[in-house]
Amino acid sequence: MSEEAILKVENLKMHYPIRGGVFFRKIATNYAVDGVSFYIKKGETLGIVGESGCGKSTVAKSVLRLYEPTSGEIKFAGKDILTLSRSDMRKLRQDMQIIFQDPMESLNSRHTVGTILEEPYIIHGMGTRNQRRQWVLDLLEKVGLQPDSTIRYPHEFSGGQRQRIGIARAIALNPKLLICDEPVSALDVSIQSQILNLLVQLQRKLQLTMLFIAHDLAAVKHVSDRIAVMYLGKIVEINDAENLYKKPVHPYTQALLSSIPIADPVKVKRHEVLPGEVPSPINPPSGCHFHTRCPHVQDKCRTKSPELRPVSPQHDQDWLVSCHFSERFIN
């Protein structure tokens, strides 16, 4: 339950003003994240899935305060990080690290791998020069790279190897929370499974808590204990990973899971094709954001926004859905 949570996010909002005109005045607002709440227990992996542009990466970067949220509450290990000073936040970031989507963009191309991996220790004033060198070699071993990688530059590695370097840098300070922002989407399919398996191994070995963000539903299922589904800046369903795939309740989750291809040319799978396009976060629909595409829409959906609540009175806070008529869709 949420009392055990190492990370707790309440009603997180990230609204971007859109400016234009001669005086560069605010003319609209981009509601990128619009009231997201979730928690992650210690040692657990929470996956967040959704279409591109739904606000997944914005949530991740807001949790780290790489973006300053418009409003909401973010508590990590009992501390409200939105109230911390810059120096206090810098200290706390030892316990909160991120793996970015594009390893080439996130690594300094002018530095050797040894310099890149030693930098976190230097910034936080840890160890002697010889100790740091040994720690770097230990990191390379943990992620499956050779010791001579320290004298090479990022462009000399493949995409998968560069992502291993990014992972090594992220775990250098032994963080409690690791945020993975689409860590395999820029990699070849043949390499993705290797990186996912590495993350699972490190999570177990180092007892990491992880927030795993992706649009690849199969990848999220492989690494996650629970999964949250996002649509247009809001979470529409949260459930245990296995149960979510077996018994999706929200109509959007059902459509999303029906799009997963089956690796069997003989079997035929029915796909639920949603009508229309994803609305703009600049002008989201009133009421339920999904009502413009929902095959089960009712008048109430058009006027009242549903709360994220237990799917039925018999279920607890681990199975939540944002739908006025969720009881109808329970299998």
Side-chain angles (χ1 to χ4, degrees):
M1 295 298 291
S2 58
E3 293 80 15
E4 310 165 10
I6 189 172
L7 176 68
K8 189 172 183 180
V9 176
E10 290 285 347
N11 199 29
L12 178 66
K13 295 183 180 181
M14 188 68 217
H15 298 168
Y16 296 98
I18 298 174
R19 303 182 184 277
V22 177
F23 298 103
F24 203 59
R25 293 173 177 169
K26 178 181 174 182
I27 57 175
T29 301
N30 183 341
Y31 300 92
V33 176
D34 197 25
V36 164
S37 299
F38 63 87
Y39 65 87
I40 312 178
K41 303 173 189 176
K42 184 176 181 180
E44 181 186 41
T45 299
L46 175 69
I48 299 184
V49 299
E51 296 170 278
S52 296
C54 71
K56 306 184 298 295
S57 294
T58 303
V59 168
K61 291 170 183 175
S62 297
V63 166
L64 287 171
R65 274 185 69 184
L66 298 179
Y67 296 157
E68 290 292 338
T70 303
S71 64
E73 185 179 79
I74 303 172
K75 285 190 175 181
F76 175 71
K79 298 180 180 179
D80 185 354
I81 71 169
L82 297 184
T83 64
L84 297 180
S85 65
R86 180 175 295 182
S87 60
D88 289 338
M89 192 65 211
R90 183 173 182 176
K91 294 176 184 176
L92 188 64
R93 285 204 177 103
Q94 292 186 42
D95 294 328
M96 306 169 70
Q97 293 292 315
I98 186 170
I99 302 169
F100 293 99
Q101 177 178 350
D102 189 341
M104 193 61 195
E105 291 295 323
S106 64
L107 301 175
N108 191 328
S109 61
R110 297 184 178 183
H111 288 174
T112 63
V113 169
T115 301
I116 290 171
L117 297 184
E118 188 181 3
E119 188 175 27
Y121 302 120
I122 295 173
I123 289 174
H124 292 279
M126 300 172 63
T128 64
R129 187 172 184 180
N130 288 335
Q131 285 177 320
R132 293 195 296 265
R133 285 177 177 174
Q134 184 56 51
W135 293 341
V136 168
L137 294 176
D138 292 342
L139 286 173
L140 291 172
E141 183 180 358
K142 285 178 181 177
V143 299
L145 292 175
Q146 296 298 315
D148 62 1
S149 300
T150 57
I151 60 174
R152 297 164 63 189
Y153 291 85
H155 71 270
E156 299 179 69
F157 295 87
S158 67
Q161 290 172 325
R162 284 195 290 265
Q163 194 59 291
R164 289 174 185 268
I165 297 167
I167 293 171
R169 182 179 58 182
I171 65 172
L173 300 175
N174 296 315
K176 296 176 182 177
L177 175 67
L178 185 61
I179 296 179
C180 307
D181 185 14
E182 303 206 34
V184 297
S185 62
L187 305 178
D188 294 339
V189 175
S190 59
I191 304 299
Q192 290 181 6
S193 60
Q194 297 178 21
I195 298 301
L196 291 174
N197 288 334
L198 174 62
L199 288 171
V200 171
Q201 292 167 11
L202 291 173
Q203 195 258 354
R204 293 171 181 169
K205 185 177 181 179
L206 304 177
Q207 298 182 330
L208 293 168
T209 302
M210 286 173 47
L211 177 62
F212 188 92
I213 293 170
H215 58 260
D216 186 331
L217 296 164
V220 172
K221 182 182 179 184
H222 182 70
V223 302
S224 302
D225 298 300
R226 291 185 301 125
I227 296 176
V229 180
M230 282 191 70
Y231 181 81
L232 206 63
K234 293 179 177 289
I235 290 178
V236 297
E237 186 167 356
I238 302 178
N239 198 358
D240 173 84
E242 290 294 329
N243 289 335
L244 185 84
Y245 281 71
K246 290 178 181 177
K247 298 185 293 184
V249 172
H250 196 282
Y252 176 66
T253 309
Q254 293 174 356
L256 203 62
L257 294 181
S258 74
S259 66
I260 301 176
I262 298 177
D264 188 336
V266 177
K267 290 185 179 180
V268 177
K269 184 176 181 181
R270 184 176 67 87
H271 295 280
E272 295 186 29
V273 180
L274 295 174
E277 300 290 335
V278 180
S280 169
I282 298 174
N283 186 27
S286 60
C288 175
H289 284 184
F290 187 61
H291 85 256
T292 57
R293 306 176 72 196
C294 183
H296 311 286
V297 61
Q298 304 290 324
D299 289 341
K300 183 178 182 180
C301 306
R302 298 184 177 94
T303 57
K304 185 177 180 181
S305 178
E307 296 180 359
L308 188 65
R309 57 185 174 84
V311 70
S312 70
Q314 292 76 34
H315 295 92
D316 60 18
Q317 294 296 318
D318 285 339
W319 189 0
L320 307 175
V321 67
S322 176
C323 178
H324 292 303
F325 306 103
S326 58
E327 293 82 0
R328 298 182 183 182
F329 309 123
I330 300 177
N331 295 329

